[in-house]
């Protein structure tokens, strides 16, 4: 518990109190942490694995928002605002989550300025993520989206199918396949026999989404 950045300055007594109101739960790839519209009961901290956050349109289309990696708070705004989850969270890999009883956490710990400061930093990070999502959708072409995803999430190519990655990027599987082929032919990336992706020209990939 004390290794988690949010709680690193707490006393042993406070850590003990946190342990009383928390559980650690393991999830399998493909399981949901929460579904859009559910009421929040826990303050969730991702310890291991990856979570995809997405919304579903009225027509049933999935709109990718972002991925969350450890160690991170997950959708903490719903706890602070006491609102239903505005999106869904699904695990992209086997994962581990620390779940804190939020009502007890609020009563016993939110008066601690150090914890509040860490929570504010986490929320500021989420605002940057949302700004990044909007920028991607409004300004980046499909090849730039793929290049950015490769730079930031190259490990997911070995655990996700291409149609899943295409869904995350809000492009067609055909567009993703064509872009990956172009990147390989341009000697920017390569795959090994286990579909692990590695860069061959990291700087050139970055140029796609920073120019």
């Amino acid at each position: 518990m004390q290794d988690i950045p949010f709680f690193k300055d707490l006393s042993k007594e406070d850590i003990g109190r946190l342990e009383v109101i928390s559980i650690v739960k393991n999830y399998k790839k493909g399981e949901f942490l929460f579904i859009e519209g559910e009421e929040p009961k826990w303050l969730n901290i991702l310890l291991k694995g990856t979570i995809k956050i997405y919304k579903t349109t009225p027509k049933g289309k999935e709109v990718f928002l972002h991925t969350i990696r450890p160690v991170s708070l997950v959708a903490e705004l719903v706890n602070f605002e006491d609102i239903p989850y505005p999106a869904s969270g699904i695990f992209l890999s086997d994962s581990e989550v620390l779940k804190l009883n939020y009502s007890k956490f609020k009563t016993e710990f939110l008066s601690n300025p150090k914890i509040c400061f860490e929570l504010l930093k986490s929320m500021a990070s989420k605002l940057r993520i949302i700004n990044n999502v909007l920028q991607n959708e409004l300004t980046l072409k499909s090849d730039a989206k793929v290049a950015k995803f490769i730079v930031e999430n190259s490990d997911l190519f070995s655990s996700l199918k291409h149609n899943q990655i295409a869904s995350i990027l809000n492009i067609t599987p055909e567009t993703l396949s064509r872009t990956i082929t172009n990147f390989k032919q341009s000697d920017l990336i390569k795959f090994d026999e286990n579909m692990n992706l590695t860069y061959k020209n990291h700087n050139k990939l970055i140029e796609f989404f920073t120019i």
Side-chain angles (χ1 to χ4, degrees), residues 8-35:
K8 59 183 171 60
D9 294 322
L10 292 182
S11 66
K12 289 184 178 180
E13 179 183 355
D14 284 337
I15 292 296
R17 290 164 55 214
L18 266 179
E19 290 174 346
V20 170
I21 65 170
S22 65
I23 60 172
V24 173
K25 185 172 180 180
N26 293 306
Y27 290 88
K28 295 292 186 181
K29 175 182 176 181
E31 287 189 279
F32 284 90
L33 179 60
F34 52 82
I35 296 174

Side-chain angles (χ1 to χ4, degrees), residues 112-172:
N112 185 312
K114 292 180 179 179
I115 287 182
C116 288
F117 181 66
E118 292 296 331
L119 294 176
L120 285 173
K121 287 198 299 183
S122 177
M123 293 179 68
S125 174
K126 296 301 193 306
L127 288 174
R128 289 194 297 271
I129 289 170
I130 294 301
N131 181 66
N132 190 41
V133 170
L134 292 173
Q135 181 184 11
N136 287 353
E137 288 304 308
L138 294 174
T139 65
L140 295 186
K141 295 181 179 179
S142 57
D143 57 355
K145 287 184 179 181
V146 176
K148 194 170 192 296
F149 188 85
I150 288 172
V151 169
E152 295 177 352
N153 305 280
S154 61
D155 58 306
L156 292 182
F157 276 88
S158 62
S159 59
L160 297 179
K161 296 179 180 178
H162 276 197
N163 65 325
Q164 292 174 304
I165 294 173
S167 176
I168 286 174
L169 296 176
N170 294 324
I171 61 177
T172 66

